[in-house]
Amino acid sequence: MRRKPSCTMGVTMSPLYFLSVFTQDTPGGWDGGRNNGFVQNGYHDNRMNGGNRYNSGPPRMERGRGGGGFRRGGSYNPVQPMQNAGMFGVYDNKDGGGWNTTKDAYTSFGARPDRGKSAFFNNGGSAPRGSFPDPCGYVLLDSYPRGGFGGSGNSRWVEESRDDEDWSKPTQANERLEQELFAGGNTGINFDNYDDIPVEATGQNCPHHIDSFQDVEMGEIIMSNIALTRYTRPTPVQKYAIPIIKNKRDLMACAQTGSGKTAAFLLPVLSQIYTEGPGEALAAQKSGGQDNGKYGRRKQYPLALVLAPTRELALQIYEEARKFAYRSRVRPCVVYGGADIGQQIRDLERGCHLLVATPGRLVDMMERGKIGLDYCNYLVLDEADRMLDMGFEPQIRRIVEQDTMPPKGIRQTMMFSATFPKEIQILARDFLEEYIFLAVGRVGSTSENITQKVVWVEDGDKRSFLLDLLNATGKNSLTLVFVETKKGADALEDFLYREGYACTSIHGDRSQRDREEALHQFRSGRCPILVATAVAARGLDISNVKHVINFDLPSDIEEYVHRIGRTGRVGNLGLATSFFNDKNGNITKDLLDILVEAKQEVPSWLESLAYEHQHKSNTRGRSKRFTSGGFGARDYRQTSGGGSTGGFGGRGGRQPGGHGGNRGFGGGGKYPLKPHNGATFGCKYYCWSIPQFLGHMSKS
DNA sequence: AAAAAAT
């Protein structure tokens, strides 16, 4: 039963894999001298109390970071973070920068070495920022080359920002900022793989999709920023969403991060803002100036609002927005919890036209009178299902319906969601007007891009098995290890660390700064192993993850799908290995279904278990099927009808209707079977389970 | 039961 890990490995190979092969140093060595100049006192890892517990490597405090300089260098590209960085990261260690482009950006502009950390200091509020040249102290929080920019020009920005100016014309270029924003280098997206993603758009008078960014007029600012990001071709979701949004239609899109979704809404929204200018918002800001500032800066009236469920996702979107707002008069801001609110308020007061926010912090800001949504004509809900899962619905409704935001029909609203359950359908009904429903299949996830392995591992054997897997995997392939609890994450990270692996962890009890730093270390390849709880399961776009390991399987199949969706992204192959034992009975059948749907190899024991479990479940009676968490929970699910799981009838003796008979369209499931707008397509779960989509997606 | 998120 135990371990033949090597047999599962070959599938992850791809050209990228070979590119990123470099040797992981011994534990004491990988950390090198990288902290030179980049780490300041006062930057504490709040968990570092262990003294010399970690005797096989650098103290923990040293691990989760050191590359503070990365972030500002554009390495935080959510679409394609650092395919190449892994190659250089280790080599450049000793300079402290970890990434040559970033370092160059600093040195060539004579920046202070500590600037690279300012993102974290800003969040933590502990940096003596007053001594910084103004914009340089702001990394995350200042997207503008505004005043005192080391001689690179554009210090006239504030003065130039008059309402009679044409927002569609680019502002002055800024070489340094440009380098900072776009240094991420080529996106590395394999667009050929993207072409396999199926998309279906339904709704009245649906605008036709585009095939090239040139097919739709987005203005020179957007076009030049597209060029700078080197997005050569639109991804499938962009092909459809951009013309829909440009045509001022509301949109409900089933799509996930990793499909190019962020740019799919940022590009057309920003483009429209550039075309239309600030309108009444600027006037309101001036006349409503209760404040001392000449523009009355106390309250900001963003023109566009993007809501996201997690802080990290909000940050990703913000970073993307900064790129497309380059050389424009639009100033993006981001607010989220866990960071110093005073800092964020000060940033807002510098001007905020596009706001990215997590719901709780935004409500806070609104109640403090820092944000008015009166002129917010663009609303984006990203990962809407996740936000509802996390209990944000009251805050969302508070923001959208119970304040001053323009009503639907006046504002333009775009919702993105991986799934389309009843709750989301209701939200769509309430927030959207005459919307287009867009179903975007995804490269990855349960598609055949990901090889899914399930192995039986008793709890006591998990660590040992994990080490085998890690050893068999290319040392610098990014590996994401999921555990169920925060405590478990800490414990496993400690264990791996003591075993000499360059790893870090992310979970909800770590400080925001640590979370961001851990992600960063992982992305950059400096810590190619990330131990994570559910916080990292969804939305995070780390494009290069080769292997997802479910050290602990989740109890919820949705969670499982989201987790494994962290690999096999942007068209690459991925591997997902799950440790299964008798504690995982609750996910047995759902897991089997997923494996079958994705045409994966199914261990015979899993099939037997699922059959037994189902049998047991059936003998307990039907009512059980509707208890949450009970075995029949997935009967609520709308897949695509018997067809998508059509292999079922012949498998394991199950009958097609054996799941309760309410699968698929037309069944008696919990959810309405159609999207609210009457479109004929919709599924609670995953768009790629639609049979014809599966057909499209199968790869040769 | 756990996790996330405003404090």
Side-chain angles (χ1 to χ4, degrees), chain A residues 268-574:
Chain A
V269 166
L270 285 171
S271 155
Q272 288 186 95
I273 293 176
Y274 300 157
T275 306
E276 292 163 8
E280 298 168 277
L282 186 54
Q285 202 156 305
K286 283 183 172 183
S287 65
Q290 326 87 316
D291 194 293
N292 47 8
K294 68 176 161 179
Y295 293 149
R297 288 205 186 131
R298 176 151 290 166
K299 193 169 192 173
Q300 289 296 319
Y301 296 92
L303 305 166
L305 172 65
V306 181
L307 288 177
T310 66
R311 301 160 179 179
E312 282 81 6
L313 185 57
L315 211 43
Q316 277 182 189
I317 297 166
Y318 167 74
E319 294 288 348
E320 191 81 341
R322 291 183 68 204
K323 295 181 189 170
F324 296 120
Y326 174 60
R327 298 191 65 186
S328 80
R329 291 176 166 79
V330 167
R331 186 169 194 273
C333 290
V334 61
V335 298
Y336 51 78
D340 177 19
I341 194 167
Q343 201 73 55
Q344 291 179 351
I345 289 170
R346 282 191 290 280
D347 183 57
L348 289 175
E349 287 173 349
R350 296 162 69 85
C352 173
H353 308 111
L354 182 146
L355 180 62
V356 185
T358 51
R361 178 56 65 96
L362 176 57
V363 168
D364 196 353
M365 288 290 188
M366 289 160 63
E367 285 169 357
R368 289 170 187 245
K370 300 302 176 190
I371 289 291
L373 297 173
D374 313 47
Y375 305 99
C376 181
N377 282 318
Y378 302 96
L379 170 65
V380 179
L381 304 189
D382 204 357
E383 309 254 340
D385 52 350
R386 181 93 200 274
M387 289 200 281
L388 294 195
D389 285 350
M390 288 166 59
F392 278 145
E393 182 162 1
Q395 288 96 319
I396 292 172
R397 289 194 182 271
R398 158 93 176 75
I399 291 163
V400 177
E401 294 178 327
Q402 293 151 33
D403 214 275
T404 52
M405 182 177 287
K408 70 172 175 178
I410 303 295
R411 67 162 193 265
Q412 189 180 353
T413 311
M414 293 134 273
M415 285 175 57
F416 291 81
S417 179
T419 64
F420 199 56
K422 186 179 180 186
E423 296 79 4
I424 296 294
Q425 294 169 32
I426 292 170
L427 212 58
R429 182 198 64 199
D430 294 347
F431 288 0
L432 305 178
E433 183 94 350
E434 289 283 318
Y435 63 89
I436 304 289
F437 185 88
L438 195 58
V440 184
R442 199 175 83 178
V443 174
S445 192
T446 63
S447 80
E448 289 143 41
N449 282 37
I450 301 177
T451 301
Q452 300 175 57
K453 298 283 183 188
V454 183
V455 286
W456 187 282
V457 187
E458 299 293 350
D459 282 349
D461 295 331
K462 281 183 173 179
R463 285 183 171 187
S464 157
F465 200 103
L466 176 64
L467 293 186
D468 287 349
L469 284 179
L470 293 176
N471 293 338
T473 309
K475 284 223 166 157
N476 297 290
S477 300
L478 300 192
T479 300
L480 184 50
V481 183
F482 280 108
V483 294
E484 198 55 13
T485 65
K486 295 182 273 201
K487 221 173 113 188
D490 278 339
L492 188 60
E493 187 207 357
D494 283 349
F495 169 74
L496 289 175
Y497 190 66
R498 285 194 304 269
E499 293 290 328
Y501 292 84
C503 63
T504 183
S505 70
I506 182 168
H507 61 67
D509 277 355
R510 297 201 67 183
S511 73
Q512 188 57 27
R513 189 193 294 160
D514 288 344
R515 282 164 54 169
E516 286 163 23
E517 186 56 28
L519 260 187
H520 185 67
Q521 293 296 309
F522 181 59
R523 277 194 164 102
S524 68
R526 194 184 295 280
C527 291
I529 300 168
L530 178 66
V531 180
T533 60
V535 68
R538 306 184 198 204
L540 291 184
D541 192 22
I542 304 163
S543 65
N544 214 8
V545 178
K546 289 287 184 282
H547 196 177
V548 168
I549 298 173
N550 283 307
F551 190 84
D552 302 318
L553 267 166
S555 53
D556 177 1
I557 195 65
E558 282 192 57
E559 174 74 17
Y560 172 85
V561 173
H562 279 291
R563 284 184 184 182
I564 70 169
R566 296 313 96 196
T567 186
R569 296 174 83 73
V570 292
N572 297 309
L573 294 178

Side-chain angles (χ1 to χ4, degrees), chain A residues 108-123:
Chain A
S108 58
F109 288 92
R112 309 167 46 122
D114 52 6
R115 243 174 37 191
K117 296 305 295 180
S118 57
F120 312 120
F121 284 125
N122 284 346
N123 290 340

